[in-house]
Amino acid sequence: MRIIYVTSEAVPFAKTGGLADVAGALPPALKELGHEVSIFMPHYTKFFEKTLGKMSGAKPEKKVLIKNFKVPISNKEIDASLIVYKLKGSGIEYYCIDIPKYFDRDQLYGTKEDGDYKDNSERFIGFSRAVLEALKVLKDKPDVIHANDWQSGMIPVYLKSTYAKDPLFKDTISLFSIHNIAYQGIFWHYDMHITGLDWDYFTFDKLEYYGRINLLKGGIVFADAVNTVSKR
């Protein structure tokens, strides 16, 4: 089975919480079961320099796989690149979406001084869209796309909307895992234009949540299956 594991963080590259630990442990376990697994995550350039610089032993192999590809955001297209790291030993490949304006920052989601980055909705809606566009460029047909937490909550939404008729994803199913339901990716409704979806998706049974957009809710509503990492 071809599994694409989408996460906003994963050890040893970037970590703020338990999501990174699961992302570092589950894909190798799935590979041992005989599945073909790749991790997709943002390329936090400055953060990577710090974390990988502290690694003992051999550093991951690095290769630029796609120099430039277009990602539709709102009414425009932005340039992204795909950088692949391969961890020796595990054989797991980390496909990192490189969009410097979004991810070349000191922290993942915000700073202690200023709080969350003001453009987090665009950053991670763009990330979700970039993952699917990168798979199209690679002609990499997944059986399962496993999205995690609000940062990749738009993946199941897009698979049932924008990419529903794309031959590459015709038989792809989505799994959405909730790691921390306290963080839901809630943004004001005027950010709907970023998704590229029309306002029919801003309803109580889709993305709307008390007058705002809720990306975690989008993942829950549109995924083929939902699970959590805790019985609670």
Side-chain angles (χ1 to χ4, degrees):
M1 184 181 295
R2 177 61 171 144
I3 301 172
I4 300 298
Y5 190 92
V6 186
T7 178
S8 61
E9 54 185 83
V11 294
F13 295 91
K15 175 181 176 178
T16 63
L19 170 59
D21 294 319
V22 176
L26 180 58
L30 291 171
K31 184 173 182 179
E32 287 185 7
L33 293 174
H35 301 296
E36 184 183 353
V37 189
S38 296
I39 296 173
F40 275 72
M41 65 180 295
H43 192 274
Y44 306 104
T45 306
K46 291 178 182 176
F47 204 89
F48 281 16
E49 290 172 356
K50 292 185 291 184
T51 55
L52 297 181
K54 294 178 182 178
M55 285 184 63
S56 59
K59 299 293 186 295
E61 299 174 3
K62 177 182 177 182
K63 179 175 67 174
V64 178
L65 192 61
I66 308 173
K67 183 61 178 174
N68 283 300
F69 64 97
K70 300 294 183 182
V71 180
I73 298 293
S74 185
N75 59 354
K76 61 182 184 292
E77 290 184 331
I78 60 172
D79 290 322
S81 296
L82 191 63
I83 301 174
V84 181
Y85 292 84
K86 188 171 184 178
L87 284 180
K88 296 178 179 178
S90 72
I92 295 293
E93 292 180 322
Y94 293 73
Y95 289 75
C96 299
I97 301 293
D98 186 32
I99 306 175
K101 67 176 287 188
Y102 290 163
F103 304 122
D104 193 2
R105 305 182 187 185
D106 292 327
Q107 301 299 325
L108 274 59
Y109 313 120
T111 64
K112 291 181 179 179
E113 296 77 18
D114 301 320
D116 292 345
Y117 291 128
K118 303 301 183 185
D119 60 345
N120 272 349
S121 60
E122 182 172 343
R123 295 174 74 219
F124 290 102
I125 292 171
F127 166 64
S128 294
R129 193 77 187 263
V131 169
L132 298 174
E133 289 296 322
L135 290 171
K136 288 186 63 176
V137 174
L138 295 171
K139 295 182 173 58
D140 190 346
K141 187 176 179 62
D143 296 301
V144 177
I145 298 183
H146 185 172
N148 294 269
D149 274 353
W150 71 265
Q151 294 91 342
S152 53
M154 284 299 295
I155 293 278
V157 181
Y158 282 136
L159 287 174
K160 290 285 174 42
S161 57
T162 307
Y163 297 85
K165 295 182 180 180
D166 193 301
L168 189 74
F169 304 112
K170 178 177 178 293
D171 300 312
T172 300
I173 64 171
S174 62
L175 169 63
F176 186 65
S177 288
I178 303 168
H179 296 255
N180 192 338
I181 203 166
Y183 299 98
Q184 300 187 10
I186 299 173
F187 304 99
W188 74 332
H189 65 287
Y190 285 119
D191 281 350
M192 266 302 293
H193 73 94
I194 298 172
T195 69
L197 301 173
D198 61 41
W199 285 93
D200 290 343
Y201 286 85
F202 189 73
T203 57
F204 75 94
D205 57 339
K206 295 176 183 174
L207 291 173
E208 187 270 338
Y209 180 78
Y210 293 98
R212 296 188 286 177
I213 300 168
N214 187 317
L215 299 186
L216 186 83
K217 179 182 177 180
I220 294 170
V221 169
F222 284 88
D224 294 301
V226 180
N227 75 304
T228 68
V229 296
S230 167
K231 291 181 180 180
R232 295 189 301 169

